[in-house]
Amino acid sequence: MEKVPAAPMPSFPEDLDGLERFVLACQACSLSETRNQVVFGEGRGTSGLMFVGEGPGADEDRTGRPFVGRAGELLTKMIQAMGLSREEVYIANTVKCRPPGNRVPSPEERKACFPFLEAQIRLLKPKYMILLGQTAAQVVLRQSAGITRIRGTCCELPEYPGIKIMPTYHPAYLLRNPSAKRDVWSDLQTVMGWMGLSRSGEKEGK
Ligand code: URA
Protein backbone atom coordinates (compact mmCIF):
# COMPACT_ATOMS: atom_id res chain seq x y z
CA MET A 1 0.00 0.00 0.00
CA GLU A 2 1.24 3.47 -0.79
CA LYS A 3 2.55 5.32 2.24
CA VAL A 4 0.69 8.53 3.04
CA PRO A 5 3.27 11.27 3.69
CA ALA A 6 3.14 12.85 7.15
CA ALA A 7 1.43 16.25 7.26
CA PRO A 8 4.09 18.97 7.06
CA MET A 9 4.80 20.80 10.32
CA PRO A 10 3.31 24.29 10.13
CA SER A 11 6.16 26.73 9.63
CA PHE A 12 6.20 29.47 12.21
CA PRO A 13 8.58 32.37 12.75
CA GLU A 14 11.80 31.11 14.29
CA ASP A 15 11.95 33.60 17.15
CA LEU A 16 9.60 34.18 20.08
CA ASP A 17 8.69 37.78 19.17
CA GLY A 18 7.84 36.75 15.62
CA LEU A 19 5.86 33.79 16.91
CA GLU A 20 3.95 36.08 19.28
CA ARG A 21 3.01 38.45 16.44
CA PHE A 22 1.85 35.44 14.44
CA VAL A 23 -0.26 34.08 17.32
CA LEU A 24 -1.81 37.50 18.04
CA ALA A 25 -3.48 37.28 14.63
CA CYS A 26 -4.62 33.64 15.01
CA GLN A 27 -8.16 32.71 14.00
CA ALA A 28 -7.66 28.95 13.99
CA CYS A 29 -10.54 28.22 16.38
CA SER A 30 -13.72 29.85 17.60
CA LEU A 31 -12.05 31.20 20.77
CA SER A 32 -10.70 33.95 18.52
CA GLU A 33 -14.28 35.21 18.11
CA THR A 34 -14.87 35.78 21.82
CA ARG A 35 -11.42 36.76 23.10
CA ASN A 36 -10.49 40.31 24.01
CA GLN A 37 -6.77 39.63 23.95
CA VAL A 38 -4.52 36.75 22.98
CA VAL A 39 -2.42 35.68 25.98
CA PHE A 40 0.78 34.46 24.38
CA GLY A 41 3.00 33.92 27.43
CA GLU A 42 5.68 35.89 29.24
CA GLY A 43 8.98 35.81 31.10
CA ARG A 44 12.62 35.59 30.08
CA GLY A 45 12.96 31.98 31.20
CA THR A 46 16.61 32.51 32.16
CA SER A 47 16.34 29.94 34.98
CA GLY A 48 15.46 27.25 32.43
CA LEU A 49 12.05 26.72 34.06
CA MET A 50 8.79 26.94 32.12
CA PHE A 51 5.27 26.69 33.57
CA VAL A 52 2.32 25.58 31.46
CA GLY A 53 -1.21 26.36 32.65
CA GLU A 54 -4.60 25.65 31.10
CA GLY A 55 -5.84 28.83 29.48
CA PRO A 56 -6.50 32.50 30.16
CA GLY A 57 -9.28 33.56 32.51
CA ALA A 58 -11.10 36.90 32.62
CA ASP A 59 -8.18 38.88 34.10
CA GLU A 60 -5.73 37.43 31.60
CA ASP A 61 -8.13 38.09 28.69
CA ARG A 62 -8.40 41.71 29.84
CA THR A 63 -4.67 42.31 30.31
CA GLY A 64 -3.11 39.97 27.72
CA ARG A 65 -0.83 38.51 30.42
CA PRO A 66 -0.85 34.96 31.82
CA PHE A 67 -1.70 34.20 35.45
CA VAL A 68 -2.53 37.68 36.73
CA GLY A 69 -5.77 36.85 38.60
CA ARG A 70 -6.13 35.09 41.96
CA ALA A 71 -4.60 31.86 40.69
CA GLY A 72 -1.81 33.97 39.23
CA GLU A 73 -1.10 35.59 42.59
CA LEU A 74 -0.70 32.13 44.06
CA LEU A 75 1.53 31.04 41.16
CA THR A 76 3.71 34.11 41.75
CA LYS A 77 4.05 33.10 45.42
CA MET A 78 4.97 29.54 44.38
CA ILE A 79 7.66 30.89 42.04
CA GLN A 80 9.00 33.15 44.79
CA ALA A 81 8.98 30.27 47.28
CA MET A 82 11.33 28.49 44.86
CA GLY A 83 13.66 31.47 45.12
CA LEU A 84 12.84 32.70 41.62
CA SER A 85 11.02 35.67 40.09
CA ARG A 86 8.36 35.65 37.37
CA GLU A 87 10.92 37.27 35.08
CA GLU A 88 13.29 34.32 35.47
CA VAL A 89 10.72 31.73 34.42
CA TYR A 90 8.49 31.50 31.37
CA ILE A 91 4.73 31.16 31.77
CA ALA A 92 2.49 29.85 28.99
CA ASN A 93 -0.85 28.12 28.60
CA THR A 94 -2.22 25.24 26.52
CA VAL A 95 -4.61 27.65 24.78
CA LYS A 96 -3.85 31.31 24.19
CA CYS A 97 -7.43 32.63 24.21
CA ARG A 98 -9.98 32.54 26.99
CA PRO A 99 -12.61 29.81 26.78
CA PRO A 100 -15.95 31.55 27.49
CA GLY A 101 -17.00 31.20 31.12
CA ASN A 102 -13.57 29.71 31.92
CA ARG A 103 -14.68 26.30 30.73
CA VAL A 104 -12.06 23.64 30.04
CA PRO A 105 -10.72 24.04 26.47
CA SER A 106 -12.29 21.55 24.05
CA PRO A 107 -10.22 18.89 22.24
CA GLU A 108 -10.49 20.95 19.01
CA GLU A 109 -9.28 24.11 20.76
CA ARG A 110 -6.38 22.28 22.38
CA LYS A 111 -5.44 20.76 19.05
CA ALA A 112 -5.60 24.08 17.22
CA CYS A 113 -3.36 25.79 19.79
CA PHE A 114 -0.89 22.98 20.51
CA PRO A 115 1.51 23.85 17.65
CA PHE A 116 2.03 27.26 19.27
CA LEU A 117 2.91 25.73 22.64
CA GLU A 118 5.22 23.27 20.90
CA ALA A 119 6.91 26.13 19.07
CA GLN A 120 7.32 28.05 22.34
CA ILE A 121 8.99 25.01 23.91
CA ARG A 122 11.22 24.50 20.87
CA LEU A 123 12.32 28.14 20.81
CA LEU A 124 12.76 28.58 24.57
CA LYS A 125 14.47 25.24 25.12
CA PRO A 126 13.55 25.03 28.82
CA LYS A 127 15.40 22.49 30.94
CA TYR A 128 12.46 21.98 33.28
CA MET A 129 8.70 22.19 32.81
CA ILE A 130 6.01 22.32 35.48
CA LEU A 131 2.58 21.39 34.16
CA LEU A 132 -0.15 23.07 36.17
CA GLY A 133 -3.26 20.91 36.36
CA GLN A 134 -4.95 18.21 34.37
CA THR A 135 -5.38 20.02 31.04
CA ALA A 136 -1.70 20.99 30.81
CA ALA A 137 -0.66 17.46 31.80
CA GLN A 138 -2.98 15.89 29.23
CA VAL A 139 -1.94 18.22 26.42
CA VAL A 140 1.82 18.18 26.95
CA LEU A 141 2.14 14.51 27.93
CA ARG A 142 -0.48 13.44 25.34
CA GLN A 143 -2.26 11.13 27.75
CA SER A 144 -5.55 11.11 29.60
CA ALA A 145 -4.59 10.18 33.17
CA GLY A 146 -6.04 12.21 36.01
CA ILE A 147 -3.72 14.74 37.62
CA THR A 148 -4.19 13.16 41.06
CA ARG A 149 -2.60 9.98 39.76
CA ILE A 150 0.34 11.48 37.92
CA ARG A 151 1.26 14.56 39.92
CA GLY A 152 4.68 14.40 41.46
CA THR A 153 5.96 11.85 38.94
CA CYS A 154 8.86 13.13 36.86
CA CYS A 155 8.59 12.43 33.15
CA GLU A 156 10.91 12.85 30.22
CA LEU A 157 9.49 12.43 26.74
CA PRO A 158 11.20 11.67 23.42
CA GLU A 159 9.30 14.65 21.94
CA TYR A 160 11.03 16.97 24.41
CA PRO A 161 14.53 15.57 24.79
CA GLY A 162 16.47 16.84 27.77
CA ILE A 163 13.48 18.48 29.50
CA LYS A 164 12.53 17.22 32.94
CA ILE A 165 8.78 17.52 33.36
CA MET A 166 6.79 17.70 36.59
CA PRO A 167 2.98 17.60 36.58
CA THR A 168 1.35 19.14 39.64
CA TYR A 169 -1.94 20.69 40.73
CA HIS A 170 -3.19 23.95 39.23
CA PRO A 171 -3.08 27.00 41.56
CA ALA A 172 -6.85 27.48 41.04
CA TYR A 173 -7.34 23.98 42.49
CA LEU A 174 -5.18 24.97 45.46
CA LEU A 175 -7.42 27.97 46.11
CA ARG A 176 -10.34 25.56 46.45
CA ASN A 177 -8.34 22.82 48.21
CA PRO A 178 -5.64 24.44 50.35
CA SER A 179 -4.69 21.08 51.88
CA ALA A 180 -3.21 20.08 48.49
CA LYS A 181 -0.56 22.83 48.87
CA ARG A 182 1.60 20.37 50.75
CA ASP A 183 1.76 18.07 47.69
CA VAL A 184 2.55 20.96 45.39
CA TRP A 185 5.32 22.19 47.66
CA SER A 186 6.81 18.71 47.60
CA ASP A 187 6.66 18.75 43.75
CA LEU A 188 8.26 22.20 43.64
CA GLN A 189 11.00 21.03 45.97
CA THR A 190 11.73 18.12 43.64
CA VAL A 191 12.14 20.61 40.78
CA MET A 192 14.30 22.84 42.98
CA GLY A 193 16.49 19.80 43.58
CA TRP A 194 16.86 19.32 39.81
CA MET A 195 17.73 22.99 39.45
CA GLY A 196 20.18 22.97 42.35
CA LEU A 197 18.14 25.58 44.22
CA SER A 198 18.04 25.60 48.01
CA ARG A 199 14.99 26.78 49.94
CA SER A 200 16.57 30.22 50.34
CA GLY A 201 16.74 30.50 46.58
CA GLU A 202 20.53 30.25 46.51
CA LYS A 203 22.18 27.99 44.01
CA GLU A 204 23.46 25.12 46.13
CA GLY A 205 27.20 24.96 46.62
CA LYS A 206 27.57 28.78 46.48
N1 URA B 1 -5.32 29.83 34.71
C1 URA B 1 -4.54 29.36 33.73
O1 URA B 1 -4.45 28.16 33.51
N2 URA B 1 -3.84 30.23 33.02
C2 URA B 1 -3.87 31.53 33.23
O2 URA B 1 -3.17 32.25 32.52
C3 URA B 1 -4.68 31.99 34.27
C4 URA B 1 -5.40 31.14 35.00
Side-chain angles (χ1 to χ4, degrees), residues 39 52-57 60 65-69 71-72 91-93 132 170 172:
V39 182
V52 181
E54 179 175 291
E60 292 76 21
R65 297 183 54 211
F67 280 98
V68 291
I91 307 174
N93 280 303
L132 299 167
H170 192 287

Side-chain angles (χ1 to χ4, degrees), residues 9-199:
M9 277 289 287
S11 65
F12 295 135
E14 281 305 312
D15 65 284
L16 264 189
D17 289 343
L19 180 67
E20 178 165 8
R21 282 194 295 276
F22 186 91
V23 176
L24 292 185
C26 177
Q27 297 194 330
C29 81
S30 59
L31 295 184
S32 63
E33 292 159 22
T34 48
R35 74 178 176 224
N36 286 304
Q37 299 215 46
V38 173
V39 182
F40 177 70
E42 70 178 22
R44 285 186 294 124
T46 45
S47 62
L49 176 60
M50 174 171 181
F51 288 86
V52 181
E54 179 175 291
D59 294 308
E60 292 76 21
D61 179 62
R62 189 172 41 77
T63 57
R65 297 183 54 211
F67 280 98
V68 291
R70 279 186 68 223
E73 278 169 28
L74 183 51
L75 177 62
T76 304
K77 285 191 190 146
M78 286 161 53
I79 293 167
Q80 288 166 348
M82 297 178 78
L84 298 167
S85 66
R86 279 181 68 118
E87 251 320 272
E88 290 173 292
V89 303
Y90 190 83
I91 307 174
N93 280 303
T94 62
V95 294
K96 313 303 186 207
C97 300
R98 182 189 183 205
N102 294 348
R103 62 166 170 72
V104 174
S106 71
E108 294 73 29
E109 291 156 0
R110 297 176 196 201
K111 197 169 162 205
C113 225
F114 187 54
F116 299 145
L117 180 61
E118 264 194 328
Q120 283 172 305
I121 296 170
R122 185 163 38 79
L123 294 172
L124 273 155
K125 299 186 179 50
K127 293 196 180 80
Y128 319 97
M129 260 199 291
I130 297 182
L131 309 179
L132 299 167
Q134 179 138 313
T135 303
Q138 288 181 345
V139 168
V140 174
L141 304 178
R142 299 171 210 231
Q143 48 78 56
S144 57
I147 188 69
T148 310
R149 190 158 75 72
I150 61 164
R151 68 137 277 277
T153 53
C154 164
C155 342
E156 287 191 48
L157 295 182
E159 296 91 314
Y160 311 112
I163 308 180
K164 285 186 152 174
I165 307 175
M166 173 63 80
T168 194
Y169 292 127
H170 192 287
Y173 175 79
L174 297 182
L175 291 172
R176 296 190 303 271
N177 301 277
S179 62
K181 283 184 183 172
R182 178 203 287 259
D183 288 335
V184 172
W185 180 232
S186 154
D187 300 342
L188 297 185
Q189 282 180 302
T190 301
V191 177
M192 289 164 66
W194 298 341
M195 299 176 74
L197 290 172
S198 72
R199 286 185 71 156

